Amino acid sequence: MSQDLFDFVAEQLEQFTALDRLESRGTLRIALKRAGLASRSVDRKQFCVILDSVVPSELESRGVADARAVCAALIGRIEGEPADRWRASHDVDEIFDRLAGG
Amino acid sequence: MLDGAWIGQLTAALVYLIVGMRLARLASSTRERPERLLSNLFLFTAVSYFLYLVPLIIAIEALWTPFNFAGRVAYIPAPIYIALFTRDVFRSGSRVSTALIAATAGLLVVGVTGSAIRGDWEGFSLDDSFFWLEWVGYTLPFAWAGLEAFAQYRSSLRRRRLGLCPQIVCNRLLLWASFGAIQVVISFVALRMYADFATENAFSGILDRLAGVLELISIALIWLVFFPPRFYRRKMSDSEAADRPAEEA
């Protein structure tokens, strides 16, 4: 489930940095919001994109050293998990994409 | 309704019928609920519109009241289906949304039944409290759909900048939001028309034509959402391509 993916990434972020649980979850939520995504529906591909493009600046602003390397490691952790570990939840974009395909 | 002014409604009925059938076919192949809900929305709307139009097209005044009432009854499921779609797509698992859907159904059923019991079969009496229950019941779900789609459109712009949402999907969310907004405007225009009918025993020509134009705009929006023509798809992909160098720079 997508919430599990969010929890998984937040836990990994805690391990890689000095951020506590609240800070790591808050940082990720802010990054997701900046990217127009929600923690309950984000999928692994989307998470990897924001870890590459949005999260580094959020971590830097919180004083995390070597934020890019941390994010690269997080992407590696996500990609190292089985593809079916997190079932994609319903996605608004996918639904609206599909509706024109009848 | 004036001579010729019903053409907008007839065109809308035909388009909604075609869109409903196409979505039913899509739903039978994908087995997904959102397309099934929208298919039902458009099919019930089309049936309702046809029922309203029958006495106008064959010009038999005696049929006006029974067919108007049948049109009102046939329309009851439509706002419920759009509310279900909105909850499933934008507010999955929300209890407040489920309560809103139940309230919508209640308002529509009580509104139509209550006004019929009081003898207002056409549902034109603004001084009858049941009229207002029905009016809120069919206006609120479209307002909700429009607001949710607009909020999602705004966040889709952020996703688009990261390459996570295609331009055409972003635009489709805006079109759907606009469709919801126009349905709300049509509801307000209808209010004014009913008020005029109560005093003049006739619909205002200007408002009748305005309602027709709004229906035509709705049709255009629905057509772009569900039958995106080649020129529109090209425009969307051109716009996406034009943004790419700027994003990469």
Side-chain angles (χ1 to χ4, degrees):
Chain A
M1 298 292 280
S2 293
Q3 189 61 43
D4 293 341
L5 172 60
F6 178 82
D7 292 341
F8 173 80
V9 179
E11 280 169 18
Q12 298 297 314
L13 184 58
E14 267 183 81
Q15 289 175 17
F16 280 110
T17 63
L19 298 176
D20 64 20
R21 184 171 189 272
L22 206 61
E23 288 167 335
S24 64
R25 293 176 74 85
T27 303
L28 290 176
R29 281 192 199 283
I30 288 168
L32 285 168
K33 193 171 182 189
R34 272 182 58 196
L37 294 165
S39 60
R40 63 189 153 81
S41 60
V42 61
D43 64 27
R44 58 193 287 155
K45 181 195 157 205
Q46 291 168 333
F47 226 134
C48 288
V49 170
I50 69 151
L51 282 167
D52 184 52
S53 55
V54 183
V55 178
S57 61
E58 290 294 335
L59 291 177
E60 280 163 10
S61 71
R62 283 159 184 77
V64 173
D66 216 358
R68 289 225 158 263
V70 169
C71 288
L74 290 173
I75 292 169
R77 287 288 171 93
I78 292 173
E79 288 175 343
E81 292 295 318
D84 59 353
R85 174 169 175 182
W86 300 290
R87 189 171 57 85
S89 70
H90 84 286
D91 180 72
V92 175
D93 298 343
E94 189 218 309
I95 293 166
F96 271 81
D97 191 26
R98 197 174 65 222
L99 288 175
Chain B
M1 200 175 285
L2 295 176
D3 289 346
W6 48 266
I7 288 173
Q9 196 169 355
L10 177 63
T11 313
L14 289 168
V15 170
Y16 292 152
L17 181 66
I18 294 166
V19 172
M21 287 166 64
R22 179 164 178 171
L23 286 166
R25 198 181 62 187
L26 178 67
S28 68
S29 68
T30 63
R31 299 189 178 280
E32 295 285 351
R33 199 171 130 93
E35 35 270 55
R36 173 67 61 199
L37 295 172
L38 283 188
S39 164
N40 292 344
L41 157 69
F42 288 116
L43 290 176
F44 276 104
T45 305
V47 169
S48 169
Y49 277 29
F50 282 124
L51 287 167
Y52 277 114
L53 286 164
V54 167
L56 297 167
I57 292 170
I58 60 177
I60 299 176
E61 207 172 328
L63 295 177
W64 171 269
T65 299
F67 272 85
N68 254 264
F69 183 67
R72 285 173 71 197
V73 173
Y75 192 68
I76 288 174
I80 299 170
Y81 278 118
I82 196 169
L84 285 165
F85 174 81
T86 305
R87 183 201 57 184
D88 280 20
V89 175
F90 301 110
R91 296 274 164 192
S92 180
S94 155
R95 284 187 187 173
V96 175
S97 301
T98 304
L100 194 62
I101 294 164
T104 296
L107 288 168
L108 287 162
V109 171
V110 173
V112 172
T113 309
S115 63
I117 288 170
R118 287 194 183 181
D120 178 20
W121 294 92
E122 289 95 349
F124 286 172
S125 299
L126 272 67
D127 53 354
D128 184 351
S129 54
F130 287 110
F131 167 89
W132 291 100
L133 296 183
E134 184 189 0
W135 186 85
V136 173
Y138 65 69
T139 305
L140 188 65
F142 287 97
W144 182 30
L147 288 170
E148 291 285 3
F150 187 69
Q152 193 58 230
Y153 162 71
R154 286 180 54 124
S155 56
S156 78
L157 292 175
R158 297 199 289 272
R159 293 195 293 278
R160 211 190 80 62
R161 281 195 284 273
L162 296 168
L164 294 172
C165 182
Q167 171 71 31
I168 196 163
V169 173
C170 279
N171 199 258
R172 198 167 288 149
L173 285 162
L174 180 61
L175 293 173
W176 188 247
S178 306
F179 172 73
I182 286 179
Q183 296 307 304
V184 173
V185 174
I186 290 173
S187 280
F188 277 96
V189 171
L191 264 190
R192 186 60 204 266
M193 288 171 75
Y194 297 155
D196 286 352
F197 194 84
T199 54
E200 311 288 330
N201 207 29
F203 288 128
S204 147
I206 293 170
L207 290 175
D208 205 26
R209 286 190 190 91
L210 175 62
V213 168
L214 290 169
E215 282 292 1
L216 292 173
I217 294 170
S218 287
I219 294 164
L221 294 170
I222 288 303
W223 199 261
L224 289 174
V225 169
F226 297 106
F227 295 88
R230 195 173 296 166
F231 82 88
Y232 168 73
R233 278 182 289 179
R234 196 181 311 121
K235 185 172 159 38
M236 290 297 113
S237 65
D238 287 351
S239 162
E240 196 156 355
D243 287 348
R244 209 166 290 136
E247 285 164 4
E248 284 166 3

